Amino acid sequence: MKKTPDKLGHFGIYGGRYISETLMPAVMELEEAYNRWKKDPDFKKELAYYLSEYVGRPTPLYHAERLTKKAGGADIFLKREDLCHTGAHKINNTIGQILLAKRMGKKRVIAETGAGQHGVAAATVAAMFGLECEVYMGEDDIKRQLPNVFRMKLLGAKVTPVTSGSRTLKDAMNEALRDWVTNVYNTFYIIGTVAGPHPYPMLVRDFQSIIGVEARKQIKGLTGRLPDLLVACVGGGSNAMGLFHAFLDDKKVRMTGVEAGGDGIRTGRHAASINGGTVGVLHGNKTYLLHDKYGQIIDTHSISAGLDYPGVGPEHAYLHDTGRVEYTTITDKEALEGFQALTLSEGIIPALESSHAVAHALKAARDMKKGSSIIVCLSGRGDKDLNTVSKAFNFEI
Amino acid sequence: MTKEKRIEALFKRLKTEKKKALITFVTAGDPDLPTSKKIIQGLEKSGADLIELGIPFSDPMADGPTIQAASERALKKDVHLTDVLGLVKEIRKKSEVPIVLFGYYNPIFTYGLKKFAKDVRAAGADGVLVVDLPAEECDELKSELDRNAIDFIFLLTPTSDDSRIQLVASKASGFIYFVSVTGVTGARKSLSTDIPKLVKRVRRFTKLPIGVGFGISTPAQAKEVAKSADGAVVGSAIINIIAENKGTSGRLLARMGSFVAALKRGVEGA
Ligand SMILES: Cc1ncc(COP(=O)(O)O)c(C=O)c1O
C-alpha cells in the first residue's frame, strides 16, 4: 500500500513532470542528488542533528484534555508542529532541501510562499547556511501576513511581491518558476509543499514524514495502541502527507484531509481542489485543480493564506481516488470557531490553516466512542494570523 | 490524399531558395479577435513564413511580462481554445501560411486530447507546441496528433544535454524550436554568442529544421540567428507593438508591418 511514485513521479495517473524543457535537466539533477544523498550516512546524520538541535524535534504529542471534554467523545491529541523553530512544520522540509542545495553546490535559493511560513522557514535555513535567498509572495498575501514579511526581511531574504493573476500563492509559484528557469544553473528552488514536478512531491513528503513517524511512536506510548483517526489540513498537503505517510499501511487507522471550504463549496468561493475540482495540470503535476471549463485556473478563496491554492499534491489526489484517505472541507467561519475553541480551552493559538483541522477534529470526535483517539496535526502557530483574526472578530488589538 | 505537410513544404522550399524562415509569435485574441485576425494577415503580408499562435492561459509560467500581458488581454475578451481554433479556420479560408498553436497543457487537456487533435486538423493548423509538456509526458497527445497528421513541435534549450536532445528529436516533427536563453520569453538587448555552437550540437541528432527564439527583438539579431539556424522566431518584440498601439488598429498594423518587413530583410540577408 505504501506507494512511492514510479520512476517518472506518477502516483497512479497523478504527478509526473509537466514543466518546460529548460527545467527538465534541473529536476533530474535534483532527483539524482536526492537519491544519492538520502542514503548517505553523513547526510542522514546532519539532517537528524538539525532536526533535533535546531528545529527542536521531536515535537510533543499533547493530549488536549479540555478540548477532548469540549467535544465529548474521542480523545484528541495534538501533534505540536507549532512548536518547531519558526512556528510551523515547514522547516522540516526546508532543512532537508537546504542540505541538498549545499551538497549540490548551489549558491542561491528561491521559494514561493502563501502564509509566509514556508518563506520564513526558507529564509531561516538560508541565513543559517549563508545562502542568498529570494522569496516570491503574492501582493494580497503580503498584506494579510505582514509579520512574516518582516521576519523574512530581518532574516536577510529578498521578498519580491507578485502582482500578476490573483496575487496569491499560485502566482508566487509561477514567478518562482520563472526565476528558476532564468537562474537554473546557480539556483535551488525550495518548494514548500508536496506539489510541483517530480521529485518534489516525494522529496517533500519524505522530509515531512518525520511528523508521522514520531506521532506513531508517541501515541503507542501514550495509549498503548494506534490512533483511530488522523486529521490534518490540506493546502498543497505537506503537513498532511507528513502525518499520514507512516500510517498508510495501518489499515485500521482512518485519515481525513481537511480542505479550505471558504464561504462554502456551493458558493464557489473556496480552495477545495479535491472536493470542488477536477483533474488538470498545473505547476508541474497532474492533480485535482480548481479551473473552469476552458482549463483556466480560477481564483480561490480561503481565510487562511496557506490553504489558498487551486491545486493539491498529486499523492493526495491518488489517496483520494483509492479511498485510503477521506477529504472534507471546513469553512472560514468554522475554522475561526476551531481557532477560538483551541485558544480558549488549551491556551494554544493555532494558525488559521491548522484551525481547519482542529474544527474538523471537534466534529469528528463527537461521533466517536469514548476511549478512541484522534491525532490532529497542529501544523503551525497563529501569531501570523492575529491581524486577520482580530478583523474577523471585530477585535481591536 | 498525401498532400505534403505545410511546415515541411515551407522549409524544403526555403532550403532550395537558400533562404531562412521568419517565424512570428502573437497571442490569439490579443487585443481582441477581429484585430487578431488582421494582425495575423498583416504578419503574413509583411513576410512572416510561419505563424505561431499563442493559446491564452491564466498562468503562463514560461512567459515574461510582455506575453503574460498579451494572454491577459485575450482572456479579458474571453478568448479560449475554441475561439483560437475558430480564428485559425478564418485565416485558413484565404491563406496557406503554416500555423503552429503554442500553449500550455491544461487548456488542451481540459478540452480533451482526441477532440483537440481532430479540431486542430479541421481548423487547418499544422503544428502544436505545448510548453509544459516535456517528451516524457507527451505520448498520449502525440498519438492523437500523429493520427491527424499534425506536427508536434518541441523546445530544446541550452540546458538540454545530448541524451535529452536525442529523446526530444525522436518525438518531434515539423521543426525544432531552440530556445536561445535560459529564461522566460521576452525581448532582450543582446543574444548569447553560443547560439551557433548550440544549434550545431542539436543538428548532430536531427535532420529537422531548427528555429531559434526567445529574446530576439531586432532585425540585426534575427539576421545573426538566421546565419546558423533555419529560422528566427520573434514574439515579444511584435507584441510590444501591439500593446503600444492597441487602441488604433490602423497605426498598429502599419507599425507592425514595417517592423516585420525589416525582420524579414534581416533574415533574408543572413
Ligand atoms: C501552518 C501551516 N499549515 C498548513 C499549511 C498548508 O500547507 P501544507 O498543506 O503543505 O501543509 C501552511 C502553509 O503555508 C501553514 O503555514
Side-chain angles (χ1 to χ4, degrees):
Chain A
M1 174 71 218
K2 217 185 267 174
K3 276 265 183 178
T4 43
D6 74 12
K7 268 211 150 73
L8 294 172
H10 300 106
F11 302 89
I13 65 164
Y14 303 106
R17 276 179 174 147
Y18 296 86
I19 46 171
S20 64
E21 174 63 26
T22 311
L23 292 179
M24 280 302 289
V27 295
M28 290 164 76
E29 181 196 2
L30 172 61
E31 181 191 11
E32 236 179 77
Y34 178 57
N35 285 335
R36 167 171 171 214
W37 294 112
K38 75 176 176 192
K39 290 181 227 134
D40 179 71
D42 284 340
F43 180 85
K44 288 203 279 195
K45 215 164 96 190
E46 200 179 350
L47 180 61
Y49 168 78
Y50 285 113
L51 285 176
S52 105
E53 304 306 309
Y54 189 74
V55 175
R57 308 206 67 91
T59 57
L61 184 71
Y62 169 69
H63 184 198
E65 288 183 61
R66 296 195 62 221
L67 194 70
T68 297
K69 213 171 271 166
K70 194 174 163 71
D75 280 300
I76 300 175
F77 292 85
L78 304 174
K79 182 60 177 162
R80 298 289 309 273
E81 295 303 298
D82 60 317
L83 295 177
C84 289
H85 178 43
T86 71
H89 69 292
K90 297 286 179 185
I91 197 162
N92 301 327
N93 167 46
T94 59
I95 283 277
Q97 291 200 44
I98 202 101
L99 291 178
L100 283 177
K102 222 180 58 169
R103 278 170 174 72
M104 291 168 75
K106 304 287 179 183
K107 299 278 180 274
R108 175 176 181 265
V109 298
I110 55 171
E112 84 294 339
T113 197
Q117 284 305 125
H118 173 60
V120 166
T124 297
V125 296
M128 181 178 47
F129 285 105
L131 298 188
E132 186 190 333
C133 177
E134 182 161 357
V135 180
Y136 291 92
M137 188 167 186
E139 217 171 36
D140 285 8
D141 288 339
I142 287 185
K143 278 186 209 136
R144 56 177 163 173
Q145 311 275 242
L146 259 188
N148 274 343
V149 178
F150 293 140
R151 289 166 82 197
M152 286 184 269
K153 288 188 177 172
L154 287 172
L155 289 159
K158 182 173 171 203
V159 180
T160 303
V162 177
T163 55
S164 55
S166 59
R167 302 189 183 93
T168 57
L169 182 53
K170 84 166 167 78
D171 310 286
M173 192 142 179
N174 289 337
E175 212 52 44
L177 283 165
R178 290 182 187 120
D179 179 314
W180 202 25
V181 152
T182 308
N183 302 298
V184 59
Y185 292 115
N186 74 349
T187 296
F188 187 106
Y189 181 14
I190 303 186
I191 291 188
T193 191
V194 285
H198 179 63
Y200 283 102
M202 168 180 85
L203 174 155
V204 177
R205 175 201 70 196
D206 291 353
F207 287 139
Q208 289 293 359
S209 65
I210 182 93
I211 300 174
V213 169
E214 287 174 7
R216 199 169 180 282
K217 252 188 245 154
Q218 290 166 318
I219 192 87
K220 279 176 146 176
L222 288 168
T223 67
R225 54 182 207 89
L226 288 173
D228 298 282
L229 176 66
L230 308 176
V231 179
C233 68
V234 176
S238 67
N239 85 90
M241 269 328 299
L243 176 64
F244 296 168
H245 191 64
F247 294 92
L248 283 176
D249 287 335
D250 302 317
K251 295 242 163 60
K252 289 210 172 117
V253 179
R254 289 192 297 125
M255 304 177 189
T256 303
V258 185
E259 295 192 306
D263 292 341
I265 294 286
R266 258 178 248 117
T267 66
R269 278 175 52 78
H270 59 81
S273 332
I274 293 180
N275 282 278
T278 55
V279 178
V281 173
L282 181 70
H283 292 153
N285 56 150
K286 188 182 278 184
T287 186
Y288 283 98
L289 280 188
L290 295 169
H291 52 161
D292 66 16
K293 63 179 174 188
Y294 303 111
Q296 312 293 356
I297 310 306
I298 4 193
D299 288 358
T300 52
H301 166 77
S302 168
I303 192 169
S304 106
L307 304 183
D308 208 349
Y309 179 71
V312 63
E315 193 165 8
H316 285 292
Y318 174 74
L319 292 170
H320 167 264
D321 284 10
T322 62
R324 179 65 187 94
V325 179
E326 188 194 344
Y327 293 86
T328 185
T329 59
I330 281 290
T331 63
D332 288 354
K333 188 166 162 284
E334 292 172 311
L336 284 166
E337 287 162 13
F339 175 94
Q340 221 167 7
L342 184 62
T343 303
L344 291 175
S345 65
E346 299 286 352
I348 297 172
I349 300 179
L352 280 173
E353 290 80 13
S354 325
S355 300
H356 286 71
V358 172
H360 177 74
L362 279 167
K363 280 195 203 172
R366 260 170 227 141
D367 300 331
M368 289 166 66
K369 280 203 293 273
K370 281 226 160 67
S372 55
S373 63
I374 301 178
I375 297 178
V376 178
C377 188
L378 199 67
S379 55
R381 67 175 189 229
D383 308 42
K384 69 185 176 61
D385 294 314
L386 297 187
N387 245 327
T388 309
V389 172
S390 67
K391 250 184 230 148
F393 290 152
N394 284 320
F395 187 88
E396 293 278 332
I397 306 189
Chain B
M1 181 198 89
T2 50
K3 213 176 98 191
E4 195 176 27
K5 289 163 139 187
R6 286 191 192 91
I7 298 175
E8 203 178 316
L10 166 70
F11 283 103
K12 219 187 235 172
R13 174 174 65 77
L14 289 175
K15 192 164 187 184
T16 57
E17 295 172 1
K18 295 208 159 47
K19 284 185 183 161
K20 301 299 175 74
L22 173 63
I23 302 171
T24 57
F25 173 94
V26 289
T27 299
D30 171 32
D32 55 58
L33 270 178
T35 313
S36 195
K37 183 177 161 190
K38 287 186 205 152
I39 286 172
I40 296 161
Q41 289 168 335
L43 289 170
E44 186 186 3
K45 209 174 84 197
S46 311
D49 296 299
L50 191 154
I51 309 280
E52 286 184 351
L53 255 193
I55 304 166
F57 182 48
S58 55
D59 293 77
M61 281 120 16
D63 285 300
T66 303
I67 295 179
Q68 285 177 45
S71 208
E72 248 169 65
R73 286 193 293 272
L75 287 175
K76 261 207 190 104
K77 299 284 173 176
D78 252 320
V79 176
H80 302 283
L81 180 49
T82 319
D83 312 289
V84 179
L85 293 168
L87 180 61
V88 173
K89 204 174 258 174
E90 280 290 304
I91 300 291
R92 206 35 101 216
K93 281 184 188 160
K94 292 193 194 151
S95 165
E96 285 297 308
V97 69
I99 298 176
V100 170
L101 300 182
F102 191 111
Y104 292 82
Y105 194 41
N106 200 51
I108 294 169
F109 177 79
T110 306
Y111 193 90
L113 303 187
K114 214 182 201 77
K115 182 164 156 32
F116 172 71
K118 246 176 54 197
D119 292 357
V120 167
R121 183 190 170 97
D126 305 284
V128 167
L129 190 159
V130 189
V131 186
D132 56 347
L133 191 68
E136 280 81 353
E137 300 284 356
C138 80
D139 287 344
E140 238 178 312
L141 180 57
K142 181 173 161 51
S143 70
E144 297 301 334
L145 294 178
D146 284 349
R147 196 166 304 160
N148 289 280
I150 304 294
D151 285 322
F152 206 170
I153 321 294
F154 282 85
L155 299 176
L156 278 170
T157 72
T159 60
S160 315
D161 61 13
D162 288 0
S163 71
R164 290 208 60 77
I165 296 174
Q166 253 169 319
L167 172 69
V168 168
S170 74
K171 310 275 183 184
S173 61
F175 69 100
I176 297 272
Y177 187 144
F178 188 79
V179 175
S180 60
V181 291
T182 56
V184 293
T185 56
R188 284 172 177 80
K189 287 217 174 67
S190 63
L191 290 179
S192 157
T193 50
D194 287 344
I195 293 173
K197 210 172 67 200
L198 293 165
V199 168
K200 211 161 152 192
R201 184 160 70 119
V202 175
R203 288 207 199 277
R204 293 214 326 259
F205 301 98
T206 179
K207 295 215 154 51
L208 287 173
I210 299 170
V212 171
F214 276 41
I216 301 174
S217 55
T218 66
Q221 289 174 334
K223 176 176 175 176
E224 193 52 41
V225 157
K227 281 183 187 159
S228 57
D230 303 294
V233 192
V234 182
S236 294
I238 296 172
I239 293 175
N240 281 334
I241 297 176
I242 297 175
E244 283 158 19
N245 301 282
K246 59 184 185 296
T248 43
S249 83
R251 196 172 66 194
L252 189 167
L253 293 170
R255 295 210 170 151
M256 187 191 79
S258 58
F259 179 62
V260 172
L263 289 171
K264 176 74 166 188
R265 285 193 297 276
V267 168
E268 297 209 315

